[in-house]
Amino acid sequence: MGLLTYRKIEKDFPGGLYLPLLDQPVPLKIINPGILSSLLALPLRIGDGSIMRPVVAQDEIVKAGQLLAQSGDGYYIYSPCDAQVKSQSEAFVEYRPGQPVLQLQCISEEIQGCTCPEFSLERFSQKQNEMMLNVVDRSGIVNPTDGQPLSRLLRKLKNQNVTHVIANATGLEPDLVASLVVLDKFPEQVFTAQAILRQWLNASEAIMAYPYHFEIDRNAAETWNVKCVPVSEKYPQGRDALILKTLHNSGNINNKIGIGAVFDIQMLRQLERLILAGQLPYDRIVTVCGDGVKKPGHYQVPVGTGVKDLINYAQVEKNISCVAAQSTLAGYAIDPETAVITTRSQAIIVLADKPVRQVGTCIRCGRCIENCPVGIDPMRIHSLAENEKYDQAVKIGVAKCIECGTCSYVCPASLPLDERIRLVKCKKNIQSSRCCQ
Amino acid sequence: MIKSRKYCQGHLPPFRCCPETASTIMAVQLIVVVLILPVAYFRFGIRSAFIIFSCGLVGALAQVTLLRISGKKSFGSNAHSALLGILAALMLPVDVDLHIAIFAAIAAVLLGKYIFGGLGNYFLHPALLGTAITYILFRDNILIVSGTLRNLTASSMQNLDLAENIRKFGDLSDFLLGNASGCICQSASLFFIIMGIYFIYRGYINWRSVVIYILTISILSVFCPLNIIDPAGRDIGKMSIFMMNPSLGQWVTFLAYEIFAGSIIFTAFILHADMASRPITNRGQYLFACIAAALTIILQFYTTIPLPAPAAMLIAGMLSRPIDNLTRPK
C-alpha cells in the first residue's frame, strides 16, 4: 500500500486516537477450552428486553436444541446440550446485577450446540423471502450492539432503503479483535451471510471494512461479491456509527441514496450457520485480556458460562483489582463471581491494577473536543449537566454522542465526561448504551 | 483464584490510565522552562539565575499559602504556580530588584490565577497579568532595554538605510544565545525554540498556531509603515519595509531580527503553551494567533509598551472566550 493511500486511510474520520495495548498482545487465534463448568446459567433477560418465561420445568431433562424460555418480544433460548434444568437464580448479566438466569446441569460430555433441520433453508435462494424471517424469528439470535432480536432489526431494515450491507472487522480496541479473529478463521461463513442479507434486503452492495494491515481472504470475498475496504485502526473505528462515517467519507456509501446497515461479524456467522446448517446459536467468542491474566486469548465458550470459570482458565492472577466487560473506555465493571457470558459479550478485561484517576478541574486543554469522533463539545455538555441544564445540553449534540469514552480517557483532569453525557441522555429519555445507575 | 472482591458499580470507565494528567503537563512544562536557569547563570550571572529560581519558589509557596488561608482544596497544581513565577521573572530585566521580581511572581499567582478561581478558570495569562501589574506599579524602578525594531532612524527620508538601522542592534546571535541585554525572554530565542519544539512534540502547542503567528508577524512587519525619526528624535515620516524596496539579503536580515530579536519567540513557543488562556479549538487558536500577531505589530510599531509581544498576548486573551463561542462545536 502506497504512502499516500496509507495517509488517507489514517485520516478516515476526524478525531479518534490510537490506543496502546493493555499488556501482551492477544494471539490471533480462537481457543476452545472445552467444558469449563457443567453448570451453565443462561440469562433470561437480554438488553432492555422483557424477561423470558421458561417453558420447561425444574429438574426436567431437556435435549440439545429444545426450547427453554421465550418472551413475547422475540427472545428465545435453546438448550445447547442434553441437560437437566435446575432452578432459576440470579447473576450479573451485562451491566446489571441480580438478573434472572436459568441454570442447566449439562449431561452430555461436550457442549457443541445442535442443528435443527427445521431452521435450515435448503436451497435458500428459492425460499428466502417467505422463510427467512420465520426462521430468524425463532432462532434467538440477538444483535450484540443493542440487544434487540435480529428479526426485529431485519424487519425494520426491510422497510428502509438499505443500499449497503456492512460488516466491520475492526476491533473495538487494539486488544479486542474477536471480530477479526472470526473473519480470519471463518471468512466464507461471514461473506456468505453478507451475501444472504444483501439479497434479502435488496441492497446494491456488501462491504467488509477491515483494518488495513490485515490479510483478508480476497478470494472468498470475490466469490460472494463482497467489497473489501481497508480502514484505520483508530479508536473508535470498531463502532457502527464510526464505520458508517468512515465509509461515507471515503465515498463507499452515499447517505443521500440509501442507508448502510452494519452487522456484527459474530452475528453474521451465527446467521449463516442457522440458515445453511440449521445450527442454533449457543456460543460466543469472547476476548479475555488485561494484565490480570497470564493467558489472554479469544475463547469460544457457550453462553451461560461463568466469567469466573473463564478467567480462571485464562490463569487469572491472585490479586486483581477490577474486571471490566466490553471495553476499557466504554465498558463497565462486573462482578466476576456471579457474571455470566451472554450473547452480547465481547470482551472481559482483567486488571491487576486499576488505574486510579483523581478528578480535578477542567484546564481547557481542548483534547476532548479535538479527539471526539463525532464532533461534539463534551466539555460544555459536562458543564451544563453539572448545572442541571439538560435541555441546553441536548441542543448542543448529546444525541450524536456514541459513548465511546474517548473524551473521558484523554481528559487530563479525569473528568467523567461520558458518564455526564449518559446522565443527560437518561434524563431526557435519549437512547443510551446503558442506563445510568 | 480471585481473592479481591473489589469490583463493580463503584468502578466507572475508563479502565485505562489517562495518557497524561494535568499535574504531569504542568510538571513537564515547569521542568522544561527551568532549563533556562543554566542559560541565565552563564549569560547573566548567578544573580539572574537566583532571581528566576526564587520567583519559581515564591510562586509555589504563594499557592500553598493561599490554599491554607482560604481552606480550599486545590486550585491548580503547585508546579503550575511555580511555572508562572518563573515566566514572570523571565519577562523582567535581568538586573531587576529581587523584591520586584518576587512581587511579580506573587501577583501572577494571586491576581492572575487565584482571584479567577484557579487553574482553568482564568482567561488572561496569569504570568502576563502579574508582570503587567508589576511594570505599571514599579515603572520608575524598571529599566527596559528594547530588543525590537520600533522605528527607523535617518537624517532624511532619502537617506534611509535599513541595513544601518538593523546593524545598530548588534549581532543576531546575541539574541539567539542569550547574550543581549534586557529581559531573558528577549534574548534566548534559540533555547525557547528548542523548548517550544518539545512542547509541540508533547502536544501542548499546535505547531500551526505557531507558524500562523510568526508568519502573520512577518507579513505585517513588512507592510505596516514604520515611524522614521531623525537623529534628534523628531518624526519625519512613515514608510514600510516593503516600500523601501530592500535587497533580498536585507529582507532576510530584517525578518530574522524581527522574529528572533525580541520576545516573539518566547511568546509563540512558551506563553502560548498555557491552555487555559487560549481558545480551546484549533480553529480558535489560529484566529487567536492572527489577532495576537496583529496586536504585536501595532504595539511594537506605534507604542512604547515594553515587550510588545507578551502585551499583545495579554490583550488578545480577552478575546479567547468570544473566539471560543465562535469556534466551538454546536
Side-chain angles (χ1 to χ4, degrees), chain B residues 152 160-169 244 246-247 250 253-254 257:
Chain B
L152 297 173
L160 196 52
D161 187 347
L162 180 61
E164 180 66 36
N165 275 277
I166 293 173
R167 214 172 293 129
K168 280 191 294 191
F169 273 95
M244 288 180 209
S247 65
Q250 287 178 341
T253 307
F254 169 75
Y257 271 89

Side-chain angles (χ1 to χ4, degrees), chain B:
Chain B
M1 186 71 173
I2 303 166
K3 285 198 175 163
S4 170
R5 289 193 64 88
K6 285 185 287 184
Y7 67 88
C8 220
Q9 285 139 308
H11 290 214
L12 294 173
F15 301 103
R16 281 179 184 262
C17 288
C18 177
E20 200 168 34
T21 62
S23 301
T24 309
I25 294 172
M26 299 309 154
V28 166
Q29 288 192 9
L30 174 66
I31 290 168
V32 168
V33 171
V34 153
L35 295 176
I36 204 69
L37 276 177
V39 177
Y41 173 70
F42 284 111
R43 293 300 185 199
F44 297 106
I46 192 166
R47 185 175 181 278
S48 169
F50 176 72
I51 286 175
I52 295 170
F53 177 78
S54 303
C55 285
L57 193 61
V58 163
L61 286 173
Q63 156 140 354
V64 171
T65 308
L66 285 166
L67 278 176
R68 292 251 168 137
I69 293 171
S70 65
K72 276 189 184 176
K73 217 170 178 185
S74 171
F75 62 93
S77 67
N78 289 342
H80 181 249
S81 295
L83 176 65
L84 294 178
I86 291 176
L87 292 176
L90 292 177
M91 288 187 280
L92 294 169
V94 294
D95 57 354
V96 72
D97 294 333
L98 180 63
H99 70 279
I100 296 175
I102 287 174
F103 176 86
I106 294 173
V109 175
L110 173 63
L111 301 174
K113 181 176 168 182
Y114 179 70
I115 294 284
F116 288 93
L119 182 59
N121 292 322
Y122 53 80
F123 58 94
L124 298 174
H125 197 302
L128 290 175
L129 187 60
T131 310
I133 293 171
T134 306
Y135 271 107
I136 292 167
L137 293 179
F138 295 95
R139 58 182 173 275
D140 295 331
N141 303 78
I142 299 176
L143 178 65
I144 306 297
V145 176
S146 179
T148 53
L149 190 72
R150 311 199 82 138
N151 47 47
L152 297 173
T153 307
S155 54
S156 69
M157 294 293 286
Q158 289 73 34
N159 296 338
L160 196 52
D161 187 347
L162 180 61
E164 180 66 36
N165 275 277
I166 293 173
R167 214 172 293 129
K168 280 191 294 191
F169 273 95
D171 199 350
L172 184 61
S173 63
D174 290 342
F175 291 97
L176 286 170
L177 300 173
N179 257 339
S181 55
C183 312
I184 293 181
C185 71
Q186 290 177 299
S187 75
S189 295
L190 182 63
F191 300 99
F192 292 130
I193 288 171
I194 295 169
M195 291 177 193
I197 288 171
Y198 185 69
F199 284 167
I200 290 171
Y201 165 72
R202 293 291 293 229
Y204 303 156
I205 314 174
N206 187 333
W207 66 268
R208 291 182 184 88
S209 301
V210 174
V211 168
I212 288 173
Y213 180 70
I214 293 176
L215 260 180
T216 308
I217 284 179
S218 305
I219 293 168
L220 290 176
S221 66
V222 164
F223 288 99
C224 285
L226 275 161
N227 288 326
I228 314 293
I229 57 174
D230 67 8
R234 286 178 297 218
D235 208 348
I236 58 174
K238 284 187 182 358
M239 188 176 282
S240 68
I241 304 295
F242 178 74
M243 294 290 289
M244 288 180 209
N245 202 16
S247 65
L248 181 61
Q250 287 178 341
W251 276 104
V252 173
T253 307
F254 169 75
L255 285 175
Y257 271 89
E258 175 63 27
I259 293 166
F260 296 111
S263 48
I264 285 171
I265 291 292
F266 174 76
T267 304
F269 285 97
I270 306 299
L271 292 179
H272 197 62
D274 184 71
M275 297 166 178
S277 58
R278 68 181 190 206
I280 297 170
T281 60
N282 288 335
R283 281 188 305 158
Q285 287 171 27
Y286 304 155
L287 182 57
F288 182 78
C290 287
I291 294 173
L295 284 170
T296 300
I297 293 298
I298 292 170
L299 293 178
Q300 180 182 333
F301 284 7
Y302 308 119
T303 72
T304 55
I305 290 177
L307 302 178
M313 178 73 85
L314 179 65
I315 298 168
M318 294 180 202
L319 296 174
S320 62
R321 296 300 193 266
I323 290 174
D324 272 341
N325 287 338
L326 270 177
T327 55
R328 283 175 93 152
K330 290 180 179 60

Side-chain angles (χ1 to χ4, degrees), chain A residues 91-357:
Chain A
F92 198 102
V93 175
E94 292 173 13
Y95 57 91
R96 297 187 178 102
Q99 295 296 297
V101 293
L102 185 63
Q103 291 186 312
L104 282 188
Q105 181 72 45
C106 293
I107 299 169
S108 47
E109 290 178 0
E110 286 180 335
I111 301 174
Q112 286 185 326
C114 73
T115 56
C116 297
E118 64 185 279
F119 280 96
S120 76
L121 297 178
E122 288 177 341
R123 299 189 200 116
F124 170 72
S125 58
Q126 292 177 358
K127 293 186 182 177
Q128 54 184 329
N129 284 328
E130 308 98 51
M131 299 296 293
M132 174 87 163
L133 272 179
N134 283 343
V135 163
V136 175
D137 253 340
R138 296 174 293 121
S139 66
I141 296 179
V142 164
N143 182 10
T145 309
D146 57 10
Q148 308 269 329
L150 175 60
S151 57
R152 197 184 298 174
L153 172 66
L154 291 179
R155 275 198 175 82
K156 189 174 123 192
L157 291 174
K158 191 72 173 164
N159 293 329
Q160 295 175 357
N161 179 20
V162 175
T163 50
H164 294 85
V165 169
I166 301 163
N168 188 4
T170 316
L172 282 176
E173 292 178 11
D175 306 88
L176 312 182
V177 290
S179 296
L180 203 60
V181 170
V182 170
L183 181 64
D184 188 43
K185 181 128 190 232
F186 309 109
E188 285 280 350
Q189 293 174 7
V190 176
F191 292 134
T192 307
Q194 280 193 276
I196 291 171
L197 285 171
R198 182 187 58 219
Q199 200 170 353
W200 191 75
L201 291 169
N202 292 323
S204 56
E205 204 171 30
I207 296 176
M208 170 61 72
Y210 68 97
Y212 64 85
H213 71 274
F214 176 67
E215 286 185 22
I216 198 165
D217 185 346
R218 291 193 180 271
N219 290 334
E222 277 169 19
T223 304
W224 290 102
N225 199 15
V226 174
K227 182 179 175 184
C228 296
V229 177
V231 296
S232 72
E233 286 181 276
K234 273 196 300 186
Y235 181 83
Q237 188 78 279
R239 297 296 189 102
D240 292 355
L242 255 303
I243 202 64
L244 285 172
K245 195 172 185 177
T246 297
L247 292 173
H248 178 76
N249 288 347
S250 59
N252 286 291
I253 62 175
N254 189 339
N255 291 339
K256 290 179 186 168
I257 297 174
I259 64 169
V262 185
F263 295 91
D264 177 71
I265 286 197
Q266 289 201 58
M267 186 180 71
L268 284 173
R269 180 172 166 259
Q270 285 175 344
L271 177 69
E272 189 269 352
R273 291 287 81 206
L274 177 79
I275 299 286
L276 296 189
Q279 185 177 63
L280 290 169
Y282 77 99
D283 64 354
R284 190 80 185 152
I285 295 167
V286 179
T287 307
V288 179
C289 62
D291 59 358
V293 289
K294 292 178 194 161
K295 204 175 147 191
H298 306 285
Y299 292 92
Q300 187 171 7
V301 293
V303 170
T305 301
V307 167
K308 178 181 170 184
D309 299 319
L310 179 57
I311 62 178
N312 276 339
Y313 183 87
Q315 295 175 23
V316 64
E317 299 279 356
K318 279 189 182 167
N319 280 311
I320 55 170
S321 66
C322 182
V323 177
Q326 305 305 76
S327 82
T328 57
L329 298 202
Y332 41 85
I334 59 173
D335 174 13
E337 298 287 339
T338 61
V340 295
I341 300 296
T342 72
T343 48
R344 298 179 68 190
S345 296
Q346 307 267 23
I348 303 291
I349 303 116
V350 185
L351 299 170
D353 287 308
K354 181 182 176 295
V356 175
R357 296 169 69 104

